[in-house]
PDB file of all heavy atoms in Angstrom:
ATOM      1  N   LEU E   1       5.305   6.789 -22.230  1.00 98.00           N
ATOM      2  CA  LEU E   1       5.188   7.629 -21.037  1.00 98.00           C
ATOM      3  C   LEU E   1       6.375   8.589 -21.030  1.00 98.00           C
ATOM      4  O   LEU E   1       7.516   8.170 -20.801  1.00 98.00           O
ATOM      5  CB  LEU E   1       5.171   6.792 -19.759  1.00 98.00           C
ATOM      6  CG  LEU E   1       4.907   7.587 -18.478  1.00 98.00           C
ATOM      7  CD1 LEU E   1       3.472   8.129 -18.473  1.00 98.00           C
ATOM      8  CD2 LEU E   1       5.151   6.728 -17.239  1.00 98.00           C
ATOM      9  N   GLN E   2       6.099   9.845 -21.307  1.00 98.00           N
ATOM     10  CA  GLN E   2       7.126  10.879 -21.229  1.00 98.00           C
ATOM     11  C   GLN E   2       7.145  11.407 -19.807  1.00 98.00           C
ATOM     12  O   GLN E   2       6.127  11.905 -19.317  1.00 98.00           O
ATOM     13  CB  GLN E   2       6.815  12.005 -22.213  1.00 98.00           C
ATOM     14  CG  GLN E   2       7.805  13.158 -22.161  1.00 98.00           C
ATOM     15  CD  GLN E   2       9.186  12.747 -22.612  1.00 98.00           C
ATOM     16  OE1 GLN E   2       9.346  12.040 -23.597  1.00 98.00           O
ATOM     17  NE2 GLN E   2      10.206  13.188 -21.889  1.00 98.00           N
ATOM     18  N   MET E   3       8.284  11.287 -19.164  1.00 98.00           N
ATOM     19  CA  MET E   3       8.421  11.688 -17.770  1.00 98.00           C
ATOM     20  C   MET E   3       9.405  12.841 -17.665  1.00 98.00           C
ATOM     21  O   MET E   3      10.584  12.678 -17.999  1.00 98.00           O
ATOM     22  CB  MET E   3       8.901  10.501 -16.923  1.00 98.00           C
ATOM     23  CG  MET E   3       8.006   9.267 -17.036  1.00 98.00           C
ATOM     24  SD  MET E   3       8.490   7.933 -15.941  1.00 98.00           S
ATOM     25  CE  MET E   3      10.061   7.476 -16.664  1.00 98.00           C
ATOM     26  N   ASN E   4       8.929  13.986 -17.235  1.00 98.00           N
ATOM     27  CA  ASN E   4       9.752  15.184 -17.071  1.00 98.00           C
ATOM     28  C   ASN E   4       9.803  15.586 -15.609  1.00 98.00           C
ATOM     29  O   ASN E   4       8.981  15.147 -14.804  1.00 98.00           O
ATOM     30  CB  ASN E   4       9.182  16.331 -17.907  1.00 98.00           C
ATOM     31  CG  ASN E   4       9.164  16.028 -19.392  1.00 98.00           C
ATOM     32  OD1 ASN E   4      10.024  15.313 -19.914  1.00 98.00           O
ATOM     33  ND2 ASN E   4       8.181  16.575 -20.092  1.00 98.00           N
ATOM     34  N   SER E   5      10.758  16.431 -15.292  1.00 98.00           N
ATOM     35  CA  SER E   5      10.903  16.937 -13.918  1.00 98.00           C
ATOM     36  C   SER E   5      10.884  15.791 -12.910  1.00 98.00           C
ATOM     37  O   SER E   5      10.179  15.848 -11.885  1.00 98.00           O
ATOM     38  CB  SER E   5       9.791  17.935 -13.598  1.00 98.00           C
ATOM     39  OG  SER E   5       9.802  19.016 -14.512  1.00 98.00           O
ATOM     40  N   LEU E   6      11.662  14.788 -13.191  1.00 98.00           N
ATOM     41  CA  LEU E   6      11.656  13.592 -12.337  1.00 98.00           C
ATOM     42  C   LEU E   6      12.185  13.889 -10.941  1.00 98.00           C
ATOM     43  O   LEU E   6      13.096  14.713 -10.764  1.00 98.00           O
ATOM     44  CB  LEU E   6      12.462  12.480 -12.991  1.00 98.00           C
ATOM     45  CG  LEU E   6      11.721  11.764 -14.127  1.00 98.00           C
ATOM     46  CD1 LEU E   6      12.685  11.032 -15.049  1.00 98.00           C
ATOM     47  CD2 LEU E   6      10.690  10.803 -13.555  1.00 98.00           C
ATOM     48  N   LYS E   7      11.605  13.210  -9.969  1.00 98.00           N
ATOM     49  CA  LYS E   7      11.952  13.377  -8.561  1.00 98.00           C
ATOM     50  C   LYS E   7      12.434  12.031  -8.007  1.00 98.00           C
ATOM     51  O   LYS E   7      12.066  10.974  -8.528  1.00 98.00           O
ATOM     52  CB  LYS E   7      10.723  13.822  -7.776  1.00 98.00           C
ATOM     53  CG  LYS E   7      10.050  15.085  -8.293  1.00 98.00           C
ATOM     54  CD  LYS E   7       8.785  15.381  -7.523  1.00 98.00           C
ATOM     55  CE  LYS E   7       8.079  16.625  -8.035  1.00 98.00           C
ATOM     56  NZ  LYS E   7       6.826  16.893  -7.287  1.00 98.00           N
ATOM     57  N   PRO E   8      13.211  12.068  -6.936  1.00 98.00           N
ATOM     58  CA  PRO E   8      13.651  10.792  -6.340  1.00 98.00           C
ATOM     59  C   PRO E   8      12.474   9.877  -5.977  1.00 98.00           C
ATOM     60  O   PRO E   8      12.598   8.645  -6.081  1.00 98.00           O
ATOM     61  CB  PRO E   8      14.410  11.252  -5.093  1.00 98.00           C
ATOM     62  CG  PRO E   8      14.948  12.591  -5.464  1.00 98.00           C
ATOM     63  CD  PRO E   8      13.876  13.225  -6.309  1.00 98.00           C
ATOM     64  N   GLU E   9      11.347  10.451  -5.605  1.00 97.00           N
ATOM     65  CA  GLU E   9      10.190   9.625  -5.236  1.00 97.00           C
ATOM     66  C   GLU E   9       9.534   8.952  -6.435  1.00 97.00           C
ATOM     67  O   GLU E   9       8.615   8.141  -6.263  1.00 97.00           O
ATOM     68  CB  GLU E   9       9.155  10.444  -4.458  1.00 97.00           C
ATOM     69  CG  GLU E   9       8.753  11.751  -5.097  1.00 97.00           C
ATOM     70  CD  GLU E   9       9.535  12.931  -4.540  1.00 97.00           C
ATOM     71  OE1 GLU E   9      10.776  12.824  -4.381  1.00 97.00           O
ATOM     72  OE2 GLU E   9       8.896  13.986  -4.300  1.00 97.00           O
ATOM     73  N   ASP E  10       9.969   9.273  -7.642  1.00 98.00           N
ATOM     74  CA  ASP E  10       9.496   8.571  -8.836  1.00 98.00           C
ATOM     75  C   ASP E  10      10.249   7.259  -9.051  1.00 98.00           C
ATOM     76  O   ASP E  10       9.895   6.493  -9.951  1.00 98.00           O
ATOM     77  CB  ASP E  10       9.660   9.446 -10.086  1.00 98.00           C
ATOM     78  CG  ASP E  10       8.776  10.686 -10.048  1.00 98.00           C
ATOM     79  OD1 ASP E  10       7.602  10.575  -9.655  1.00 98.00           O
ATOM     80  OD2 ASP E  10       9.279  11.760 -10.427  1.00 98.00           O
ATOM     81  N   THR E  11      11.268   7.016  -8.267  1.00 98.00           N
ATOM     82  CA  THR E  11      12.032   5.784  -8.394  1.00 98.00           C
ATOM     83  C   THR E  11      11.149   4.574  -8.134  1.00 98.00           C
ATOM     84  O   THR E  11      10.485   4.485  -7.100  1.00 98.00           O
ATOM     85  CB  THR E  11      13.215   5.784  -7.414  1.00 98.00           C
ATOM     86  OG1 THR E  11      14.119   6.834  -7.771  1.00 98.00           O
ATOM     87  CG2 THR E  11      13.949   4.454  -7.432  1.00 98.00           C
ATOM     88  N   ALA E  12      11.126   3.653  -9.087  1.00 98.00           N
ATOM     89  CA  ALA E  12      10.269   2.475  -8.985  1.00 98.00           C
ATOM     90  C   ALA E  12      10.493   1.592 -10.210  1.00 98.00           C
ATOM     91  O   ALA E  12      11.161   1.997 -11.167  1.00 98.00           O
ATOM     92  CB  ALA E  12       8.801   2.872  -8.917  1.00 98.00           C
ATOM     93  N   VAL E  13       9.909   0.411 -10.161  1.00 98.00           N
ATOM     94  CA  VAL E  13       9.790  -0.406 -11.367  1.00 98.00           C
ATOM     95  C   VAL E  13       8.473  -0.014 -12.025  1.00 98.00           C
ATOM     96  O   VAL E  13       7.420  -0.012 -11.377  1.00 98.00           O
ATOM     97  CB  VAL E  13       9.809  -1.909 -11.040  1.00 98.00           C
ATOM     98  CG1 VAL E  13       9.627  -2.731 -12.318  1.00 98.00           C
ATOM     99  CG2 VAL E  13      11.103  -2.283 -10.335  1.00 98.00           C
ATOM    100  N   TYR E  14       8.553   0.326 -13.307  1.00 98.00           N
ATOM    101  CA  TYR E  14       7.377   0.765 -14.053  1.00 98.00           C
ATOM    102  C   TYR E  14       6.890  -0.392 -14.927  1.00 98.00           C
ATOM    103  O   TYR E  14       7.672  -0.992 -15.671  1.00 98.00           O
ATOM    104  CB  TYR E  14       7.732   1.973 -14.915  1.00 98.00           C
ATOM    105  CG  TYR E  14       7.817   3.241 -14.103  1.00 98.00           C
ATOM    106  CD1 TYR E  14       8.859   3.431 -13.191  1.00 98.00           C
ATOM    107  CD2 TYR E  14       6.861   4.254 -14.229  1.00 98.00           C
ATOM    108  CE1 TYR E  14       8.940   4.588 -12.426  1.00 98.00           C
ATOM    109  CE2 TYR E  14       6.936   5.406 -13.474  1.00 98.00           C
ATOM    110  CZ  TYR E  14       7.967   5.561 -12.570  1.00 98.00           C
ATOM    111  OH  TYR E  14       8.050   6.709 -11.803  1.00 98.00           O
ATOM    112  N   TYR E  15       5.589  -0.659 -14.829  1.00 98.00           N
ATOM    113  CA  TYR E  15       4.972  -1.763 -15.545  1.00 98.00           C
ATOM    114  C   TYR E  15       3.946  -1.245 -16.541  1.00 98.00           C
ATOM    115  O   TYR E  15       3.124  -0.381 -16.215  1.00 98.00           O
ATOM    116  CB  TYR E  15       4.264  -2.712 -14.584  1.00 98.00           C
ATOM    117  CG  TYR E  15       5.172  -3.418 -13.608  1.00 98.00           C
ATOM    118  CD1 TYR E  15       5.461  -2.868 -12.368  1.00 98.00           C
ATOM    119  CD2 TYR E  15       5.737  -4.653 -13.938  1.00 98.00           C
ATOM    120  CE1 TYR E  15       6.296  -3.528 -11.466  1.00 98.00           C
ATOM    121  CE2 TYR E  15       6.564  -5.319 -13.044  1.00 98.00           C
ATOM    122  CZ  TYR E  15       6.839  -4.741 -11.813  1.00 98.00           C
ATOM    123  OH  TYR E  15       7.667  -5.396 -10.930  1.00 98.00           O
ATOM    124  N   CYS E  16       3.971  -1.810 -17.722  1.00 97.00           N
ATOM    125  CA  CYS E  16       2.971  -1.544 -18.744  1.00 97.00           C
ATOM    126  C   CYS E  16       1.807  -2.516 -18.542  1.00 97.00           C
ATOM    127  O   CYS E  16       2.015  -3.681 -18.150  1.00 97.00           O
ATOM    128  CB  CYS E  16       3.601  -1.746 -20.117  1.00 97.00           C
ATOM    129  SG  CYS E  16       2.492  -1.624 -21.514  1.00 97.00           S
ATOM    130  N   ARG E  17       0.603  -2.062 -18.834  1.00 97.00           N
ATOM    131  CA  ARG E  17      -0.577  -2.908 -18.709  1.00 97.00           C
ATOM    132  C   ARG E  17      -1.514  -2.645 -19.879  1.00 97.00           C
ATOM    133  O   ARG E  17      -1.651  -1.502 -20.327  1.00 97.00           O
ATOM    134  CB  ARG E  17      -1.324  -2.608 -17.403  1.00 97.00           C
ATOM    135  CG  ARG E  17      -2.547  -3.484 -17.161  1.00 97.00           C
ATOM    136  CD  ARG E  17      -3.299  -3.026 -15.935  1.00 97.00           C
ATOM    137  NE  ARG E  17      -4.384  -3.939 -15.582  1.00 97.00           N
ATOM    138  CZ  ARG E  17      -5.305  -3.666 -14.645  1.00 97.00           C
ATOM    139  NH1 ARG E  17      -5.248  -2.541 -13.967  1.00 97.00           N
ATOM    140  NH2 ARG E  17      -6.246  -4.554 -14.385  1.00 97.00           N
ATOM    141  N   THR E  18      -2.122  -3.712 -20.406  1.00 95.00           N
ATOM    142  CA  THR E  18      -3.134  -3.562 -21.442  1.00 95.00           C
ATOM    143  C   THR E  18      -4.405  -4.275 -21.029  1.00 95.00           C
ATOM    144  O   THR E  18      -4.356  -5.319 -20.374  1.00 95.00           O
ATOM    145  CB  THR E  18      -2.661  -4.123 -22.791  1.00 95.00           C
ATOM    146  OG1 THR E  18      -2.432  -5.535 -22.660  1.00 95.00           O
ATOM    147  CG2 THR E  18      -1.404  -3.445 -23.273  1.00 95.00           C
ATOM    148  N   ILE E  19      -5.539  -3.706 -21.420  1.00 92.00           N
ATOM    149  CA  ILE E  19      -6.846  -4.278 -21.110  1.00 92.00           C
ATOM    150  C   ILE E  19      -7.680  -4.258 -22.382  1.00 92.00           C
ATOM    151  O   ILE E  19      -7.765  -3.229 -23.062  1.00 92.00           O
ATOM    152  CB  ILE E  19      -7.568  -3.462 -20.022  1.00 92.00           C
ATOM    153  CG1 ILE E  19      -6.729  -3.415 -18.739  1.00 92.00           C
ATOM    154  CG2 ILE E  19      -8.944  -4.063 -19.735  1.00 92.00           C
ATOM    155  CD1 ILE E  19      -7.275  -2.473 -17.694  1.00 92.00           C
ATOM    156  N   GLY E  20      -8.278  -5.402 -22.700  1.00 89.00           N
ATOM    157  CA  GLY E  20      -9.114  -5.478 -23.879  1.00 89.00           C
ATOM    158  C   GLY E  20      -9.805  -6.812 -23.956  1.00 89.00           C
ATOM    159  O   GLY E  20      -9.708  -7.624 -23.030  1.00 89.00           O
ATOM    160  N   PRO E  21     -10.493  -7.078 -25.066  1.00 88.00           N
ATOM    161  CA  PRO E  21     -11.198  -8.358 -25.223  1.00 88.00           C
ATOM    162  C   PRO E  21     -10.283  -9.579 -25.131  1.00 88.00           C
ATOM    163  O   PRO E  21     -10.759 -10.666 -24.799  1.00 88.00           O
ATOM    164  CB  PRO E  21     -11.817  -8.238 -26.623  1.00 88.00           C
ATOM    165  CG  PRO E  21     -11.957  -6.777 -26.843  1.00 88.00           C
ATOM    166  CD  PRO E  21     -10.754  -6.166 -26.173  1.00 88.00           C
ATOM    167  N   SER E  22      -8.997  -9.391 -25.426  1.00 84.00           N
ATOM    168  CA  SER E  22      -8.054 -10.509 -25.324  1.00 84.00           C
ATOM    169  C   SER E  22      -7.645 -10.790 -23.890  1.00 84.00           C
ATOM    170  O   SER E  22      -7.018 -11.816 -23.611  1.00 84.00           O
ATOM    171  CB  SER E  22      -6.808 -10.238 -26.161  1.00 84.00           C
ATOM    172  OG  SER E  22      -7.119 -10.158 -27.530  1.00 84.00           O
ATOM    173  N   GLY E  23      -7.968  -9.870 -22.983  1.00 88.00           N
ATOM    174  CA  GLY E  23      -7.619 -10.067 -21.587  1.00 88.00           C
ATOM    175  C   GLY E  23      -6.845  -8.907 -21.004  1.00 88.00           C
ATOM    176  O   GLY E  23      -6.740  -7.830 -21.590  1.00 88.00           O
ATOM    177  N   ASN E  24      -6.273  -9.159 -19.824  1.00 93.00           N
ATOM    178  CA  ASN E  24      -5.553  -8.169 -19.027  1.00 93.00           C
ATOM    179  C   ASN E  24      -4.114  -8.651 -18.904  1.00 93.00           C
ATOM    180  O   ASN E  24      -3.873  -9.730 -18.371  1.00 93.00           O
ATOM    181  CB  ASN E  24      -6.244  -8.095 -17.670  1.00 93.00           C
ATOM    182  CG  ASN E  24      -5.598  -7.108 -16.724  1.00 93.00           C
ATOM    183  OD1 ASN E  24      -4.618  -6.458 -17.055  1.00 93.00           O
ATOM    184  ND2 ASN E  24      -6.156  -7.006 -15.538  1.00 93.00           N
ATOM    185  N   TYR E  25      -3.165  -7.851 -19.399  1.00 95.00           N
ATOM    186  CA  TYR E  25      -1.775  -8.302 -19.432  1.00 95.00           C
ATOM    187  C   TYR E  25      -0.838  -7.263 -18.835  1.00 95.00           C
ATOM    188  O   TYR E  25      -1.111  -6.055 -18.899  1.00 95.00           O
ATOM    189  CB  TYR E  25      -1.337  -8.598 -20.874  1.00 95.00           C
ATOM    190  CG  TYR E  25      -2.104  -9.733 -21.499  1.00 95.00           C
ATOM    191  CD1 TYR E  25      -3.290  -9.494 -22.205  1.00 95.00           C
ATOM    192  CD2 TYR E  25      -1.674 -11.052 -21.365  1.00 95.00           C
ATOM    193  CE1 TYR E  25      -4.000 -10.541 -22.763  1.00 95.00           C
ATOM    194  CE2 TYR E  25      -2.390 -12.093 -21.928  1.00 95.00           C
ATOM    195  CZ  TYR E  25      -3.545 -11.834 -22.615  1.00 95.00           C
ATOM    196  OH  TYR E  25      -4.260 -12.875 -23.165  1.00 95.00           O
ATOM    197  N   TRP E  26       0.278  -7.773 -18.290  1.00 96.00           N
ATOM    198  CA  TRP E  26       1.306  -6.924 -17.702  1.00 96.00           C
ATOM    199  C   TRP E  26       2.646  -7.183 -18.392  1.00 96.00           C
ATOM    200  O   TRP E  26       2.942  -8.312 -18.768  1.00 96.00           O
ATOM    201  CB  TRP E  26       1.465  -7.229 -16.211  1.00 96.00           C
ATOM    202  CG  TRP E  26       0.294  -6.839 -15.368  1.00 96.00           C
ATOM    203  CD1 TRP E  26      -0.801  -7.604 -15.088  1.00 96.00           C
ATOM    204  CD2 TRP E  26       0.093  -5.592 -14.690  1.00 96.00           C
ATOM    205  NE1 TRP E  26      -1.659  -6.896 -14.274  1.00 96.00           N
ATOM    206  CE2 TRP E  26      -1.143  -5.673 -14.013  1.00 96.00           C
ATOM    207  CE3 TRP E  26       0.843  -4.419 -14.593  1.00 96.00           C
ATOM    208  CZ2 TRP E  26      -1.638  -4.607 -13.248  1.00 96.00           C
ATOM    209  CZ3 TRP E  26       0.349  -3.378 -13.837  1.00 96.00           C
ATOM    210  CH2 TRP E  26      -0.890  -3.477 -13.169  1.00 96.00           C
ATOM    211  N   GLY E  27       3.439  -6.116 -18.477  1.00 96.00           N
ATOM    212  CA  GLY E  27       4.808  -6.262 -18.948  1.00 96.00           C
ATOM    213  C   GLY E  27       5.715  -6.734 -17.818  1.00 96.00           C
ATOM    214  O   GLY E  27       5.288  -6.896 -16.677  1.00 96.00           O
ATOM    215  N   GLN E  28       6.992  -6.933 -18.154  1.00 95.00           N
ATOM    216  CA  GLN E  28       7.935  -7.472 -17.188  1.00 95.00           C
ATOM    217  C   GLN E  28       8.485  -6.396 -16.260  1.00 95.00           C
ATOM    218  O   GLN E  28       9.099  -6.722 -15.234  1.00 95.00           O
ATOM    219  CB  GLN E  28       9.099  -8.174 -17.912  1.00 95.00           C
ATOM    220  CG  GLN E  28      10.173  -7.241 -18.455  1.00 95.00           C
ATOM    221  CD  GLN E  28       9.775  -6.516 -19.724  1.00 95.00           C
ATOM    222  OE1 GLN E  28       8.693  -6.718 -20.284  1.00 95.00           O
ATOM    223  NE2 GLN E  28      10.652  -5.646 -20.198  1.00 95.00           N
ATOM    224  N   GLY E  29       8.280  -5.141 -16.596  1.00 96.00           N
ATOM    225  CA  GLY E  29       8.740  -4.039 -15.767  1.00 96.00           C
ATOM    226  C   GLY E  29      10.078  -3.494 -16.205  1.00 96.00           C
ATOM    227  O   GLY E  29      10.932  -4.223 -16.712  1.00 96.00           O
ATOM    228  N   THR E  30      10.264  -2.193 -16.014  1.00 97.00           N
ATOM    229  CA  THR E  30      11.527  -1.534 -16.314  1.00 97.00           C
ATOM    230  C   THR E  30      11.859  -0.594 -15.156  1.00 97.00           C
ATOM    231  O   THR E  30      10.995   0.143 -14.669  1.00 97.00           O
ATOM    232  CB  THR E  30      11.466  -0.791 -17.667  1.00 97.00           C
ATOM    233  OG1 THR E  30      12.748  -0.244 -17.968  1.00 97.00           O
ATOM    234  CG2 THR E  30      10.442   0.330 -17.659  1.00 97.00           C
ATOM    235  N   GLN E  31      13.106  -0.640 -14.716  1.00 98.00           N
ATOM    236  CA  GLN E  31      13.510   0.123 -13.544  1.00 98.00           C
ATOM    237  C   GLN E  31      13.776   1.575 -13.920  1.00 98.00           C
ATOM    238  O   GLN E  31      14.501   1.859 -14.888  1.00 98.00           O
ATOM    239  CB  GLN E  31      14.772  -0.480 -12.930  1.00 98.00           C
ATOM    240  CG  GLN E  31      15.331   0.286 -11.742  1.00 98.00           C
ATOM    241  CD  GLN E  31      14.452   0.195 -10.505  1.00 98.00           C
ATOM    242  OE1 GLN E  31      13.981  -0.888 -10.154  1.00 98.00           O
ATOM    243  NE2 GLN E  31      14.234   1.318  -9.833  1.00 98.00           N
ATOM    244  N   VAL E  32      13.220   2.483 -13.132  1.00 98.00           N
ATOM    245  CA  VAL E  32      13.518   3.909 -13.248  1.00 98.00           C
ATOM    246  C   VAL E  32      14.087   4.356 -11.899  1.00 98.00           C
ATOM    247  O   VAL E  32      13.451   4.179 -10.858  1.00 98.00           O
ATOM    248  CB  VAL E  32      12.259   4.732 -13.586  1.00 98.00           C
ATOM    249  CG1 VAL E  32      12.551   6.225 -13.484  1.00 98.00           C
ATOM    250  CG2 VAL E  32      11.758   4.370 -14.975  1.00 98.00           C
ATOM    251  N   THR E  33      15.290   4.896 -11.944  1.00 98.00           N
ATOM    252  CA  THR E  33      15.947   5.366 -10.731  1.00 98.00           C
ATOM    253  C   THR E  33      16.295   6.838 -10.887  1.00 98.00           C
ATOM    254  O   THR E  33      16.968   7.217 -11.857  1.00 98.00           O
ATOM    255  CB  THR E  33      17.222   4.565 -10.436  1.00 98.00           C
ATOM    256  OG1 THR E  33      16.891   3.172 -10.309  1.00 98.00           O
ATOM    257  CG2 THR E  33      17.874   5.035  -9.150  1.00 98.00           C
TER     258      THR E  33
END
């Protein structure tokens, strides 16, 4: 995820997610401030 022109309202924990025949999975999250 390339994030440009970031704004204060973009501050959050960002989570990766995958969906497929193996199931639905989430990452542990990474903080963007």
Side-chain angles (χ1 to χ4, degrees):
L1 186 68
Q2 178 66 43
M3 304 185 293
N4 299 328
S5 302
L6 282 160
K7 304 175 181 179
E9 50 264 44
D10 295 317
T11 295
V13 178
Y14 283 70
Y15 296 90
C16 174
R17 182 186 187 189
T18 63
I19 301 172
S22 296
N24 180 0
Y25 296 90
W26 292 88
Q28 80 284 357
T30 184
Q31 177 70 45
V32 171
T33 302

